[in-house]
Amino acid sequence: MKIRHLIILLLLSSANLSAQNSVFSAGVRLGGQTWLPTLNNEVDGSIKGSIGAHEMVDFRYAYYSKINKHTSVGIMFGAGIGYGSCGVRGNNTDKFSNTDYSSNKIDYAATTDFKQSEQFANADFSLLLALRHNGFVAQIGPRLILPFSVKRTLRINDASIDAYYKQYDVHVVNEIITGKLETPYDITDKTQKWNVITLAIEMGWEWKLGYRSPNSVGIQAYANIGSRNEKTPAYSRLINVSPISNPSDPIPDVTVGWADSLISKRAYLDFGLRMYYAFSPNTSSSLKFFKRDRYRHRR
C-alpha cells in the first residue's frame, strides 16, 4: 500500500471515530538504524549498510473507540526527538591513467576499504492507525523523519595505489613518487539536510498498573521502513592521483572524495524497542478509579 493511500485511510477512519477514550503516552525508542544501499553500475567494488545508534524520546496522543469489551481502535498522533547515526561501508577500485613529466603513461588501480557515516539530531512526526486488544497493542502508518545538524565522516581504513608502467612492465605500489595515502585517513564535514517518509510498524504488549487503573506501561518492537531516492551525483573517484608534471617536485597529489556517488539508491531502516508509560485522564474508568481512591482515603 502506498503511503498516500494509507494517509487517506487514516483520515477517513478518524472521521468515523467517536473519541470515547483519550490516551497520552511518553516513552523512549532505543535501537539501531542503517542504509540499505545499491551500488552504482559504474563502480567496481561492493557496498553495504553500516548500523548506527537510534535513540528517541517519544510523545503520543491517541483517540480510541471501543469496538467491544476487549478491542479498541483509534488514531494516534506522535512526535519524537533524539539522536541517530547510520552509514555505508565497502570497498572500491578506481582505474585511470596519468602521465609523468617524461610523458610516460601510468595506469593506476587505487583500491580502498572505507566506511562513510552520518551523525545527526533527529525529529519525527507520525499519524498511525492504532489497535488495542486484551493487552496487545499495535500501530501502523506514515512517519516523517527529519534529521538536522547532519555531520558526515569518511574513513579510509586501507588504501593501495598501484601505478603500472606498461612499457616497462613495472608496478610501483604505495610509493610517494607515484602516489601513497597514509591510513587510516579521515575527513569530516557538515552535509545537506535530508528527510524520508517511512512506513512505521509497531507491536507489543501493555499492562495496567492496577485493577481498573487508567494507567499502563508497555513495550513494543518497532521498525520504520522508507527510501531516499535523491538524484545520484555524477560519478567521481574515491581516490584520485594527479599527473606527475613537475620534475623538480615529482610528488603527485592524492585526493580523497566522498562515497555518495558510489550509491545509485538507498533504502532507510531503523528498528528497536519502544518502552512507554500511558495514561487516560478523561475516561469514565479513570474518573471512577480516582473517585474510589478518594473515598478510600476519607474512610
Side-chain angles (χ1 to χ4, degrees), residues 54-67:
H54 183 249
E55 304 167 358
M56 302 288 291
V57 178
D58 188 272
F59 302 96
R60 308 282 179 92
Y61 179 48
Y63 288 103
Y64 284 98
S65 180
K66 184 171 287 189
I67 302 300

Side-chain angles (χ1 to χ4, degrees), residues 10-268:
L10 292 174
L11 293 175
L12 290 175
S13 300
S14 65
N16 293 323
L17 290 178
S18 56
Q20 297 177 356
N21 191 10
S22 297
V23 179
F24 295 88
S25 64
V28 294
R29 278 181 273 151
L30 302 174
Q33 63 187 41
T34 187
W35 292 114
L36 304 175
T38 300
L39 190 68
N40 190 326
N41 291 331
E42 299 180 46
V43 174
D44 180 8
S46 66
I47 198 165
K48 61 182 180 180
S50 176
I51 297 176
H54 183 249
E55 304 167 358
M56 302 288 291
V57 178
D58 188 272
F59 302 96
R60 308 282 179 92
Y61 179 48
Y63 288 103
Y64 284 98
S65 180
K66 184 171 287 189
I67 302 300
N68 56 44
K69 182 179 179 180
H70 303 289
T71 307
S72 298
V73 296
I75 296 295
M76 179 177 288
F77 304 89
I81 189 166
Y83 166 84
S85 63
C86 58
V88 295
R89 65 193 318 156
N91 57 73
N92 174 64
T93 299
D94 282 313
K95 295 181 179 179
F96 53 94
S97 297
N98 275 334
T99 57
D100 64 13
Y101 52 81
S102 298
S103 298
N104 294 309
K105 184 181 178 182
I106 310 173
D107 293 325
Y108 279 95
T111 301
T112 58
D113 178 75
F114 68 90
K115 177 182 178 181
Q116 182 170 299
S117 58
E118 295 174 317
Q119 302 84 35
F120 43 80
N122 194 17
D124 65 38
F125 302 91
S126 55
L127 174 62
L128 309 175
L129 181 63
L131 168 71
R132 278 177 156 181
H133 177 75
N134 274 350
F136 174 76
V137 285
Q139 293 91 239
I140 185 170
R143 173 168 287 136
L144 174 62
I145 297 177
L146 297 167
F148 57 96
S149 297
V150 184
K151 181 181 73 173
R152 63 179 177 175
T153 300
L154 176 73
R155 164 161 284 201
I156 303 293
N157 298 302
D158 186 54
S160 174
I161 300 176
D162 182 347
Y164 176 55
Y165 287 84
K166 186 175 181 179
Q167 63 270 43
Y168 307 118
D169 193 24
V170 172
H171 288 270
V172 182
V173 182
N174 291 337
E175 295 292 342
I176 293 177
I177 58 171
T178 53
K180 181 179 180 180
L181 185 71
E182 297 290 343
T183 57
Y185 181 90
D186 295 285
I187 53 175
T188 300
D189 74 356
K190 291 186 176 180
T191 187
Q192 68 273 14
K193 298 177 184 178
W194 51 269
N195 61 74
V196 60
I197 297 177
T198 67
L199 176 64
I201 303 171
E202 303 172 341
M203 58 182 65
W205 294 88
E206 66 181 23
W207 298 268
K208 295 292 184 182
L209 292 179
Y211 177 69
R212 297 182 65 84
S213 170
N215 306 329
S216 58
V217 294
I219 184 168
Q220 293 181 301
Y222 72 85
N224 294 300
I225 308 162
S227 62
R228 180 186 170 199
N229 292 323
E230 76 278 16
K231 184 179 179 181
T232 303
Y235 176 68
S236 60
R237 298 172 192 148
L238 197 59
I239 287 186
N240 193 42
V241 183
S242 68
I244 306 171
S245 56
N246 187 352
S248 62
D249 185 16
I251 308 297
D253 292 327
V254 177
T255 55
V256 177
W258 294 95
D260 299 329
S261 68
L262 308 184
I263 303 166
S264 61
K265 60 182 179 180
R266 65 185 79 188
Y268 173 89

